[in-house]
Amino acid sequence: MIDFERGRIRFIRGGKYPQSNSVLIDDDIRTIIDPACDEEKLLKIHGERPIEVIINSHGHEDHFLYNSRFPDAQLWVHELDANAFRDINAFFNQFFHPEEVDEKTEAEWSTFFADVVKYQPREPDRLLEDEEILDFGETRVHVLHTPGHSPGHLSFHFAEEKVLFLADLDLVKFGPYYGDKASSIDDTIRSLHRLAKIEVDVYLVSHGKDGILDGDPEHIHRYLDVIYKREEKLLDLLASGPKSLEEVTAEGIIYGGRSLSEGAWELSMSERTMMHKHLQRLDHKRTVKEENGFYHLV
Ligand SMILES: [Zn+2]
Ligand SMILES: [Zn+2]
């Protein structure tokens, strides 16, 4: 059941979306970061000795998937993602404006949240801050605020064990995800540079086949490069003439232009948001300019 352990750290792999990998701190204060790997496994662990604290790396459903199964545990999160736990509308608002969502998507999300997530609004018991050191008994973890994927995204550095949990800065081949309204490309870049400077033996991440990588910063640099490669492709496209955001989205630079969905989520929406963020970033750098709904190179 445990896929990796060091000291009191236990790493348990999850399946595909909507699951993600969990980090159990099997210490005096039994704590789980992202209870989203597997309901049965998590309940078994909880049955052996109760989990007292849930930490969520951020406010995405595939990380708080089974939070509701631990109503007596404390909930610790970063303030900038806290509203996603307090209120389901705030959760949805981080992705899109309510008027952007069609009825079918809304119905699918509602069913998923009622039946699978069993979402219960919850006031966090503690708001975690950057550079805070949490002590669980033998284990100490350094909290790192690493925004970009979401504003309140956290990573966790176990200095003594030389382990870094990067959560959804997940180092997968696909590259970083910044497709929410609240995501930021520049913050993602800054956070990744910061994480690359931390010397550890092992990187743990939330997704991907394995979720366990050697602590080689090259993994982070390769992941960062995906951002710049996407941007180069976008610039190449604009070199052929001005394009609207819809035309850029249809090109499928990130998802290949196929109609894909993940659960109730249309990936064309992510493609559109991510490309829009790239265009805005290039606009700030005065490389691209928008006129009458069309983007062109300066
Ligand atoms: Zn996420
Ligand atoms: Zn995730």
Side-chain angles (χ1 to χ4, degrees):
M1 173 153 90
I2 306 296
D3 296 296
F4 168 86
E5 63 175 279
R6 185 171 288 191
R8 300 297 188 103
I9 306 164
R10 314 276 180 265
F11 184 70
I12 311 155
R13 275 189 203 117
K16 278 200 170 130
Y17 178 89
Q19 293 185 336
S20 68
N21 303 329
S22 299
V23 176
L24 172 71
I25 304 168
D26 199 10
D27 211 332
D28 296 346
I29 302 168
R30 220 175 188 204
T31 299
I32 190 130
I33 308 178
D34 291 346
C37 59
D38 179 284
E39 185 170 16
E40 233 174 82
K41 286 179 187 174
L42 289 167
L43 291 176
K44 188 165 176 282
I45 289 168
H46 190 53
E48 290 160 1
R49 188 161 67 88
I51 287 170
E52 293 178 58
V53 177
I54 296 170
I55 297 176
N56 283 119
S57 61
H58 61 296
H60 282 168
E61 72 287 357
D62 56 323
H63 296 257
F64 64 69
L65 186 63
Y66 302 122
N67 273 22
S68 66
R69 277 55 157 192
F70 309 95
D72 298 325
Q74 288 206 6
L75 174 66
W76 300 358
V77 300
H78 191 273
E79 185 166 16
L80 293 178
D81 275 22
N83 282 340
F85 300 89
R86 293 181 176 127
D87 173 50
I88 197 157
N89 291 319
F91 168 80
F92 287 121
N93 274 333
Q94 66 186 326
F95 303 124
F96 36 66
H97 299 281
E99 63 271 20
E100 283 173 353
V101 188
D102 59 67
E103 261 171 49
K104 185 175 154 272
T105 306
E106 205 181 318
E108 280 179 41
W109 273 99
S110 302
T111 311
F112 172 66
F113 267 77
D115 299 350
V116 183
V117 182
K118 304 183 179 32
Y119 184 93
Q120 293 287 338
R122 204 156 160 170
E123 181 57 38
D125 299 279
R126 179 168 174 176
L127 297 174
L128 298 175
E129 284 174 26
D130 188 37
E131 299 281 359
E132 205 172 337
I133 293 171
L134 307 174
D135 193 338
F136 299 98
E138 276 179 32
T139 317
R140 272 187 299 275
V141 61
H142 206 133
V143 175
L144 303 169
H145 179 215
T146 48
H149 175 79
S150 76
H153 184 276
L154 297 172
S155 305
F156 301 90
H157 179 207
F158 300 88
E160 237 155 276
E161 293 82 359
K162 291 187 176 298
V163 171
L164 182 63
F165 177 51
L166 297 91
D168 260 359
L169 294 167
D170 57 11
L171 307 180
V172 295
K173 233 175 126 191
F174 169 79
Y177 183 92
Y178 33 83
D180 296 356
K181 212 171 66 176
S183 307
S184 155
I185 298 177
D186 289 335
D187 283 351
T188 302
I189 292 171
R190 267 192 291 276
S191 293
L192 287 168
H193 279 298
R194 181 181 180 193
L195 292 169
K197 287 195 196 105
I198 300 171
E199 281 178 38
V200 290
D201 294 340
V202 180
Y203 294 145
L204 301 174
V205 294
S206 293
H207 300 286
K209 239 192 213 138
D210 200 40
I212 307 164
L213 296 92
D214 56 52
D216 181 355
E218 251 325 287
H219 293 299
I220 297 180
H221 291 129
R222 220 171 289 140
Y223 189 68
L224 256 167
D225 276 346
V226 178
I227 300 176
Y228 302 119
K229 282 182 187 143
R230 288 169 181 164
E231 205 150 273
E232 274 166 35
K233 284 186 190 164
L234 175 57
L235 287 168
D236 283 348
L237 176 67
L238 295 178
S240 68
K243 299 278 179 294
S244 67
L245 177 58
E246 304 320 316
E247 288 169 326
V248 169
T249 305
E251 191 70 14
I253 288 171
I254 293 171
Y255 289 99
R258 292 157 292 166
S259 168
L260 296 170
S261 54
E262 189 154 76
W265 187 253
E266 280 298 327
L267 290 178
S268 62
M269 282 174 77
S270 305
E271 176 91 34
R272 188 177 191 277
T273 308
M274 284 164 85
M275 279 294 118
H276 193 203
K277 286 184 194 290
H278 273 290
L279 289 164
Q280 286 171 325
R281 184 176 129 84
L282 292 168
D283 187 304
H284 283 153
K285 294 205 277 183
R286 306 201 186 288
T287 315
V288 162
K289 201 167 156 38
E290 190 243 294
E291 262 167 321
N292 306 320
F294 285 84
Y295 294 86
H296 62 83
L297 296 180
V298 174

